[in-house]
Amino acid sequence: MSAAPLVGYSSSGSEDETEAPAAAGRSKPRSGGRRCGQNSLPTQRFPVPDSVLSMFSSTEEGPEDDSTKHGGRIRTFPHERGNWATHIYIPYEAKEEFLDLLDVLLSRAQTFVPRLVQMEEFHLSLSQSVVLRHHWILPFVQALKDHMASFQRFFFTANQVKIYTNQEKTRTFIGLEVTSGHAQFLDLVSEVDRVMEEFDLTTFYQNPSFHVSLAWCVGDACLQLEGQCLQELQEIVDEFEDSEMLLRVLAEQVRCKSGNKFFSMPLK
């Protein structure tokens, strides 16, 4: 079985990015550089001290893209000031029993790929990561709230182990795919896509595999994780005590993360 494409994740450097690159075709905002005027007085000009010149030496420089600061993840686009990475998803609240299951799964998977690490938080994506200008954020969120207003809460089950990669194949994930509730997720994505189209943004993937990512590693580790490893991980899930009830979850809200801002849209 070939690895499924990862739904809704980018390989950008940090989960806490507050800004992202400009969309194609959109102009870069003007810098706040200072304009120099001519001096009408015929007085002698004194040299500007180095300490003053150095104050403005880095105003046009972006942040250093050091992958060692975020687990070796590789940024797939350059940082540009004034743009915000934005993502729509349903949060997955991990209970103690879920974390117990995850410990067993990760321990077994690390015998095949030792560099795997646990996800810091869990969710199911309803959009790709897109770019918003700062002044678009509030109108975008309001449009989302309008489109989400009629949706009811629903239960879904995620208990099928699958291996995913991002589009660039720079990161590999172990996930639990949704096996019930798929139709409700498609309805939500349909409304999210309408909002994306209103703002001329990229819509979601065709035939998406809705899932909760459990662990990840840098690079393409599909060959090591599929086959025997995948079979053993599925057996652990199937045999785990009360796994059927443990992995049946109530979807109660849709959440939007834009840079370091979070917006919640409760379902009815």
Side-chain angles (χ1 to χ4, degrees), residues 110-130:
Q110 285 173 334
T111 64
F112 293 84
V113 180
R115 66 182 184 277
L116 280 163
V117 294
Q118 178 180 313
M119 299 294 294
E120 296 180 358
E121 58 181 26
F122 309 96
H123 64 264
L124 295 95
S125 293
L126 299 177
S127 79
Q128 298 193 54
S129 291
V130 297

Side-chain angles (χ1 to χ4, degrees), residues 15 17 26 34 43 48 62 82 84 88 114 145-146 160 162 179-180 186 210 212 229-230 238 240-241 243 252 262:
E15 295 297 329
E17 283 289 327
R26 302 193 185 277
R34 184 175 56 184
T43 56
V48 180
W84 296 60
I88 318 301
K145 289 181 177 179
D146 293 343
Q160 183 70 41
K162 290 193 72 172
T179 53
S180 70
L186 285 177
F210 300 106
V212 182
C229 177
L230 185 61
D238 294 341
F240 197 79
E241 183 178 2
S243 64
E252 300 181 274
F262 291 87

Side-chain angles (χ1 to χ4, degrees), residues 34-246:
R34 184 175 56 184
R35 180 180 178 182
C36 297
Q38 291 183 343
N39 190 340
S40 59
L41 298 178
T43 56
Q44 181 181 0
R45 293 183 179 181
F46 294 95
V48 180
D50 291 340
S51 59
V52 174
L53 291 174
S54 65
M55 292 171 61
F56 305 100
S57 61
S58 60
T59 54
E60 292 299 318
E61 294 179 3
E64 179 185 1
D65 189 12
D66 185 354
S67 64
T68 63
K69 295 179 180 179
H70 36 76
R73 288 175 288 185
I74 301 172
R75 186 189 298 277
T76 58
F77 46 73
H79 170 96
E80 186 167 331
R81 189 170 302 282
N83 296 307
W84 296 60
T86 302
H87 178 223
I88 318 301
Y89 61 95
I90 289 181
Y92 187 102
E93 303 296 336
K95 299 179 180 179
E96 183 177 353
E97 294 84 356
F98 176 82
L99 295 176
D100 290 340
L101 171 60
L102 179 53
D103 285 342
V104 179
L105 289 170
L106 184 57
S107 178
R108 181 65 60 86
Q110 285 173 334
T111 64
F112 293 84
V113 180
R115 66 182 184 277
L116 280 163
V117 294
Q118 178 180 313
M119 299 294 294
E120 296 180 358
E121 58 181 26
F122 309 96
H123 64 264
L124 295 95
S125 293
L126 299 177
S127 79
Q128 298 193 54
S129 291
V130 297
V131 172
L132 279 179
R133 298 292 295 169
H134 182 266
H135 60 275
W136 291 353
I137 295 175
L138 292 182
F140 179 84
V141 171
Q142 184 59 56
L144 277 175
K145 289 181 177 179
D146 293 343
H147 281 263
M148 298 291 110
S150 62
F151 276 93
Q152 304 283 337
R153 299 179 182 186
F154 64 96
F155 281 97
F156 66 90
T157 302
N159 59 5
Q160 183 70 41
V161 183
K162 290 193 72 172
I163 309 302
Y164 299 87
T165 63
N166 61 354
Q167 289 183 313
E168 300 81 15
K169 294 189 180 296
T170 57
R171 297 174 72 192
T172 304
F173 297 80
I174 298 174
L176 288 176
E177 185 183 35
V178 167
T179 53
S180 70
H182 189 80
Q184 290 92 330
F185 277 103
L186 285 177
D187 288 342
L188 285 170
V189 166
S190 177
E191 294 302 315
V192 172
D193 279 351
R194 291 185 183 182
V195 177
M196 294 295 183
E197 290 170 349
E198 290 177 18
F199 286 80
D200 196 25
L201 297 170
T202 304
T203 55
F204 207 38
Y205 303 104
Q206 294 292 322
N207 303 316
S209 172
F210 300 106
H211 65 279
V212 182
S213 290
L214 307 176
W216 69 279
C217 68
V218 172
D220 185 352
C222 294
L223 290 179
Q224 299 98 306
L225 292 174
E226 290 184 335
Q228 182 64 30
C229 177
L230 185 61
Q231 180 180 337
E232 293 184 13
L233 296 180
Q234 188 63 59
E235 289 173 355
I236 291 172
V237 170
D238 294 341
E239 297 171 3
F240 197 79
E241 183 178 2
D242 296 327
S243 64
E244 183 175 351
M245 292 302 299
L246 171 62

